Amino acid sequence: MAGLAAAFGSGAMTNSIAELEDTDCILVIGSNTTENHPVIAARIKRAARLKHKTLIVIDPRRIDLVRHANLWVRQRPGTDIAVINGLMNVIIQENLQATDYVAARTEGFEALKDTVAKYTPEYVEQISGVPADQLRQVARLYAQAPAAAIVYTMGITQHTVGTDNVKSLANLAMLCGNVGIAGGGVNPLRGQNNVQGACDMGGLPNVFSGYQAVTDPAHRQKMAAAWGVGDLPDYVGMTMTDMLPAIPEGKLKALYIMGENPVISDPDADHAVAALKKLDFLVVQDIFLTETAQLADVVLPATTFAEKDGTFSNTERRVALIRRAVSAVGQSRPDWQIICDLSRRLGYDMDYANAEAIFNELRQVTPSYAGITYARLETEGGLQWPCPTTDHPGTMYLHKDKFARGLGQFFAIEHREPAELPDAEYPLTLTTGRVLYQYHTGTMSRRAVGLVEKAPECFVELAPEDASRYGIGEGERIKVRSRRGEITAKAQISKKAVPGTIFVPFHYGEAAANKLTIAAFDPVAKIPEYKVCAVQIEKG
Amino acid sequence: MAHSTLNINGTTVKFTPGQTILEAARDAGIDIPTLCYLKGTTPTGSCRVCVVEVEGARTLLPACSTPAAAGMVVQTESERVVAARKMVIELLLASGNHNCFVYAAQRDQGFKVEDAIFCEAEGECQLQALAERYQVFPPSYANPPDTKYYYEDNNSMIVRDFSKCIMCGRCVRACCERQVNLAIDIGYRGSHNKIVARGDYPYIDSDCVFCGECVQACPVGALLDKAARFQGRPWERTKVRSTCPYCGVGCQIDLHIKNGRIVKVTGADEIPNEGRLCVKGRFGWGFVHHPDRLTTPLIKENGSFREASWEEALDLTARRLQEIKDQDGADKIGGWCSARVTNEENYLFQKFMRAVIGTNHVDHCARL
Ligand code: SF4
Ligand code: SF4
Ligand code: SF4
Ligand code: FES
């Protein structure tokens, strides 16, 4: 979430889920909310259907939310920046921007204005295929709403221009004074249940918990003192996507993987397997013998959420409890106990009576969590950080009166074409994503009877036009090939798809969509370009 | 906001304009029974269990859909109200196979267990509770014993048993107003009415997305969570509040536990979901007790795994990490934590990598 951090000073979802029901306008872009975040979608649908709020959907696929939307904009995949610049062009042209807000709370507006000047609706129509008049309509609806919220997901970030996509959305929101108010904001919906928490807790190469930079000597000193060690490494570590290629180069010899399954989730999956096999030592800690665990030298059995205590932080920064409800299966142990067991053997005595004791330590060193306690979570329910003191009610929306970085930063951004475009040999565009009934790499969801019943196997969604062009019938097996690999799956002919673009969900190991995708990364966020790559198909 | 008052059972009660009699009463701690009423949805006033006597009104009025008015004088348990309520309950009991209560009430009078209808909802059923509270027995004019009711048991998540359906419409409002899935409606108006999915297809072949909101909303035993059937009576289970392990919405859930196993999951009425769940949160918990779960540490020897003790696996792991750290340097070791484990565990993991191993190569799959 580097884009938001650069623009606002914090990468987290600015506003809250409940606010979505009562805002005036919701702009959903690059998020198939109904399938990926169904309960948030319920709020959005309630706003649109029952409370008559404006809903705008910008998405190449005819996703479910389109049914409930006032306006649906179908852009060519990979042209989001052009579309957003076009919206801002209209807003500035028609003088609909929040002039006082821009003057008082932001910087960089002049450069933005210069850049978007050339993105006239007609020019944007050429790039994106979005009719000029429709763009004008969207711009007016969004800009004239007293409070308008932007909601996005991986459809925005999983591009080589992902960070710039996010910055563009931040531009749009600030231009209309929509950041720092109830019902507004720029709201990335997090995919996995504790992505927010894993980031908050310093599960990142560059920061300790609470986003305290490892390169800052004061932060290192503070953590070293709290942890009772002499010194701490001062360099920015490698990201996951850097670590894999570092293995064959000999820059990484051992890997400790807790609860991740990169063999399915990594872009360019075959390379991931080859790399992991080259390690001197791989230890994997998980609840199942995943595709990744099978490559390990040692596998440590962990417990599920139902067998341990702890907290998760949801997409709206809300910290909530999980509680041990059943006893651990077999000899499995909670992940935290395993870490303590290992640490003791490596000469550092980690000893906690329970999860709460760990939480009490982390809140001492993590200012945004300082006011949250288990006792409060028990009695008050989930609390949203920042929550600096025990009498602080938690924070519903960020950047009220002042951005975390001081002034909001506009970034002047030009449209760029995706890293790989369809050509004569690979004439179709592939996008990947999730489906309602499955989750991530399927480790959990593919072991639940009902979910498997509804979504038993991988499929390739394609438009009726493409199906007849290739002579493919519903349910027939088709081969999808990219420059990197090939998979076979069933055809699902659907009006959801745009002609020329196919969609493959990424949950299925036996037809791992990520065998096809391109390991071209956004240079800042290091997020792979899952959303766009070029493929060919044939009957399989 | 301006407050006005009305009088309920002789007590002066404040209300905010726009509130119904029911809302005003509940805010004041006065209990009015309801059945078709479902929080957060449009009241339809269809079951008439909540009727009250309002001074000056010719008929009894449904509290759930009658706006409170200043100066109103309301009786919630008057003789007239109770008589009407008893009649409503009796008719509802007569509308299907609701003789669970016959057994409960008549076991001392030689009633045989075999003659009772087994109902999954017993103990949680709101109709049964009303029958108990108002001492109503299933009437003799019930439907004949050979009456056929719609029964659907062709998917692994939801069973529909319309021999229990009282046509309260809560499921429809749960689906259309709480989830806005628009998958079911009241079909075949008139005396043949029935809850239908589009085209009256079974759920599995319809627009239904198996969020299970309708199951949670059903006050009787007409919509059942299939996995929970025959898994103990409601009062034998304990409920544990937790957070959904799937997506980033973080829905609050109740795990229903019997004999150390999850029996079912329901949505808790808390922020952010207020009772709602999706198919994963409600029906996706099977992985917890799955036979594929890893139950012992494993060590790879000559290309295949063998079971190992914790001592052995931890010793080996610690030894190898130490060796590589000593020989190649701490920065040759990386660690991936996870968006699926707790905050405490992620915190501890990065502490371990940074303070114990001495590397900043820590990341997780936030980017994917
Ligand atoms: S399970 Fe959900 S979508 Fe299906 S009918 Fe019930 S409420 Fe509607
Ligand atoms: S199925 Fe249940 S909720 Fe729906 S109308 Fe029948 S009794 Fe009411
Ligand atoms: S119930 Fe569904 S929407 Fe709610 S957290 Fe779980 S997966 Fe997400
Ligand atoms: S609860 Fe009021 S009429 Fe049914």
Side-chain angles (χ1 to χ4, degrees), chain A residues 50 92 117 202 210 229 240 259 266 287 344 430 435 463 502 505:
Chain A
L50 306 174
I92 294 171
V229 290
M240 258 176 90
D266 202 76
I287 54 176
R344 251 176 262 124
L430 165 78
V435 296
I502 64 169

Side-chain angles (χ1 to χ4, degrees), chain A residues 134-250:
Chain A
Q134 205 183 35
L135 200 75
R136 287 198 181 89
Q137 257 180 299
V138 172
R140 287 173 198 146
L141 280 174
Y142 177 81
Q144 287 170 343
I150 297 173
V151 170
Y152 71 91
T153 332
M154 294 298 186
I156 276 294
T157 53
Q158 287 183 347
H159 290 279
T160 45
V161 294
T163 301
D164 283 347
N165 278 344
V166 175
K167 285 179 181 167
S168 299
L169 292 175
N171 286 341
L172 175 63
M174 287 190 291
L175 184 64
C176 298
N178 271 326
V179 187
I181 60 169
V186 184
N187 300 294
L189 305 183
R190 301 309 201 102
Q192 302 177 69
N193 77 326
N194 203 29
V195 183
Q196 187 62 53
C199 293
D200 296 348
M201 290 301 110
L204 293 169
N206 58 337
V207 288
F208 299 109
S209 61
Y211 306 94
Q212 305 173 82
V214 296
T215 47
D216 181 333
H219 291 149
R220 280 201 309 279
Q221 243 168 35
K222 168 180 148 184
M223 299 312 280
W227 293 344
V229 290
D231 53 2
L232 288 165
D234 61 357
Y235 56 91
V236 172
M238 286 186 271
T239 63
M240 258 176 90
T241 42
D242 287 336
M243 281 190 240
L244 279 175
I247 299 168
E249 291 168 18

Side-chain angles (χ1 to χ4, degrees), chain B residues 157-318:
Chain B
M157 295 176 268
I158 299 173
V159 173
R160 300 164 79 199
D161 175 2
F162 284 177
S163 73
K164 314 276 184 197
C165 175
I166 52 170
M167 289 305 291
C168 66
R170 277 166 60 141
C171 52
V172 174
R173 275 170 288 135
C175 185
C176 299
E177 293 188 38
R178 290 183 54 77
Q179 291 274 359
V180 203
N181 286 332
L182 313 177
I184 50 175
D185 202 349
I186 297 178
Y188 311 107
R189 300 275 162 174
S191 64
H192 297 289
N193 65 1
K194 171 186 167 219
I195 305 299
V196 293
R198 185 193 300 199
D200 203 3
Y201 283 114
Y203 271 12
I204 192 83
D205 302 316
S206 74
D207 297 340
C208 168
V209 293
F210 288 89
C211 66
E213 193 76 22
C214 54
V215 178
Q216 186 160 334
C218 183
V220 295
L223 295 172
L224 300 173
D225 184 322
K226 183 165 173 178
R229 273 197 319 179
F230 316 122
Q231 300 303 313
R233 313 306 304 146
W235 57 85
E236 296 166 350
R237 303 171 187 159
T238 50
K239 272 200 249 179
V240 181
R241 178 65 48 83
S242 194
T243 304
C244 173
Y246 282 101
C247 87
V249 182
C251 292
Q252 294 301 291
I253 57 177
D254 284 321
L255 301 171
H256 298 241
I257 308 295
K258 163 110 195 279
N259 292 339
R261 290 178 74 90
I262 301 172
V263 170
K264 72 171 172 180
V265 171
T266 52
D269 190 8
E270 293 279 345
I271 290 175
N273 50 317
E274 293 172 321
R276 298 176 189 89
L277 292 179
C278 80
V279 63
K280 292 185 285 288
R282 196 181 302 275
F283 298 115
W285 48 266
F287 70 94
V288 172
H289 304 295
H290 198 280
D292 287 355
R293 280 283 303 278
L294 286 167
T295 53
T296 67
L298 303 173
I299 290 178
K300 197 174 272 167
E301 264 172 13
N302 308 319
S304 57
F305 285 117
R306 68 166 173 83
E307 293 187 355
S309 70
W310 273 109
E311 286 301 305
E312 206 184 352
L314 290 166
D315 285 346
L316 173 64
T317 305

Side-chain angles (χ1 to χ4, degrees), chain A residues 120-396:
Chain A
T120 61
E122 287 69 23
Y123 176 59
V124 171
E125 179 169 349
Q126 282 170 29
I127 301 176
S128 66
V130 176
D133 277 344
Q134 205 183 35
L135 200 75
R136 287 198 181 89
Q137 257 180 299
V138 172
R140 287 173 198 146
L141 280 174
Y142 177 81
Q144 287 170 343
I150 297 173
V151 170
Y152 71 91
T153 332
M154 294 298 186
I156 276 294
T157 53
Q158 287 183 347
H159 290 279
T160 45
V161 294
T163 301
D164 283 347
N165 278 344
V166 175
K167 285 179 181 167
S168 299
L169 292 175
N171 286 341
L172 175 63
M174 287 190 291
L175 184 64
C176 298
N178 271 326
V179 187
I181 60 169
V186 184
N187 300 294
L189 305 183
R190 301 309 201 102
Q192 302 177 69
N193 77 326
N194 203 29
V195 183
Q196 187 62 53
C199 293
D200 296 348
M201 290 301 110
L204 293 169
N206 58 337
V207 288
F208 299 109
S209 61
Y211 306 94
Q212 305 173 82
V214 296
T215 47
D216 181 333
H219 291 149
R220 280 201 309 279
Q221 243 168 35
K222 168 180 148 184
M223 299 312 280
W227 293 344
V229 290
D231 53 2
L232 288 165
D234 61 357
Y235 56 91
V236 172
M238 286 186 271
T239 63
M240 258 176 90
T241 42
D242 287 336
M243 281 190 240
L244 279 175
I247 299 168
E249 291 168 18
K251 290 190 205 144
L252 209 63
K253 303 272 186 193
L255 207 47
Y256 176 11
I257 300 181
M258 169 173 74
E260 291 278 16
N261 190 11
V263 169
I264 305 282
S265 62
D266 202 76
D268 217 343
D270 289 342
H271 270 117
V273 175
L276 291 174
K277 281 186 175 160
K278 290 213 174 71
L279 284 165
D280 287 354
F281 185 67
L282 173 62
V283 50
V284 174
Q285 182 169 312
D286 211 318
I287 54 176
F288 292 108
L289 194 60
T290 60
E291 291 81 354
T292 304
Q294 283 166 20
L295 303 173
D297 297 293
V298 178
V299 179
L300 303 173
T303 57
T304 65
F305 81 108
E307 302 157 277
K308 63 187 176 189
D309 294 318
T311 56
F312 286 146
S313 299
N314 78 350
T315 188
E316 54 170 356
R317 300 170 273 105
R318 190 181 302 279
V319 182
L321 288 170
I322 61 164
R323 293 180 177 84
R324 186 167 171 273
V326 296
S327 41
V329 165
Q331 297 180 36
S332 61
R333 293 182 184 173
D335 292 274
W336 65 266
Q337 278 180 15
I338 305 175
I339 300 167
C340 292
D341 292 338
L342 272 179
S343 184
R344 251 176 262 124
R345 284 174 170 75
L346 284 158
Y348 181 96
D349 191 27
M350 267 191 200
D351 200 11
Y352 300 93
N354 48 35
E356 184 175 5
I358 305 171
F359 194 87
N360 283 336
E361 176 181 313
L362 76 85
R363 51 182 282 263
Q364 306 292 332
V365 294
T366 313
S368 52
Y369 279 64
I372 304 173
T373 64
Y374 271 36
R376 284 189 73 187
L377 296 175
E378 286 280 353
T379 51
E380 297 170 48
L383 288 166
Q384 285 174 291
W385 68 257
C387 180
T389 54
T390 47
D391 54 7
H392 190 285
T395 306
M396 243 176 92

Side-chain angles (χ1 to χ4, degrees), chain A residues 65-84:
Chain A
L65 279 185
V66 168
R67 283 205 286 161
H68 310 278
N70 302 65
L71 260 180
W72 172 36
V73 172
R74 187 171 218 180
Q75 82 283 31
R76 199 164 59 75
T79 62
D80 303 291
I81 293 174
V83 172
I84 302 162

Side-chain angles (χ1 to χ4, degrees), chain A residues 463-518:
Chain A
E465 293 87 336
D466 291 333
S468 61
R469 193 145 63 91
Y470 287 88
I472 291 165
E474 173 73 24
E476 279 183 356
R477 302 206 74 78
I478 55 177
K479 277 205 181 92
V480 183
R481 203 174 293 121
S482 76
R483 290 189 173 82
R484 290 152 295 277
E486 174 183 296
I487 63 163
T488 306
K490 254 168 68 175
Q492 186 168 305
I493 300 168
S494 163
K495 287 203 189 101
K496 268 190 212 163
V498 218
T501 299
I502 64 169
F503 169 85
V504 178
F506 69 71
H507 314 285
Y508 300 91
E510 65 280 8
N514 301 344
K515 285 196 170 133
L516 304 170
T517 47
I518 175 167

